[in-house]
Amino acid sequence: MSMSMTKERFVELVRTESGLEITEFGLSTPFDGVAGWDSMYLLKVITVVEAEIGRPLSVVRAMESKCLDDIYRVATA
């Protein structure tokens, strides 16, 4: 388990969990602008990120996220 995560690793996890072709540049795209995004992906991403960093994320902050970059910032705070 890693206590920190690079953006590259975060993108890899998001791509694996969602099956979407997310790039580092696309992290700031609002969820409703991500082609194929489904709200269930948010829960999957939160779960896998928590496992990766070895600690729970703030669910409130994560659920308030407007884009994947917000989730990344919660995970690396």
Side-chain angles (χ1 to χ4, degrees):
M1 278 185 286
S2 173
M3 294 307 288
S4 64
M5 180 184 314
T6 65
K7 275 200 176 181
E8 293 81 11
R9 178 65 179 147
F10 180 76
V11 168
E12 180 182 326
L13 291 172
V14 171
R15 290 176 75 154
T16 299
E17 290 305 306
S18 69
L20 301 175
E21 293 297 316
I22 302 294
T23 66
E24 191 172 326
F25 299 107
L27 293 179
S28 60
T29 302
F31 290 125
D32 61 0
V34 176
W37 183 259
D38 182 299
S39 59
M40 288 304 295
Y41 294 146
L42 181 60
L43 297 174
K44 289 180 176 182
V45 168
I46 290 169
T47 301
V48 74
V49 167
E50 287 178 335
E52 179 80 8
I53 64 175
R55 65 175 171 80
L57 298 182
S58 165
V59 175
V60 171
R61 287 187 60 206
M63 296 305 284
E64 290 174 346
S65 297
K66 304 287 187 228
C67 63
L68 288 164
D69 198 49
D70 291 346
I71 300 285
Y72 177 74
R73 285 188 298 232
V74 170
T76 57

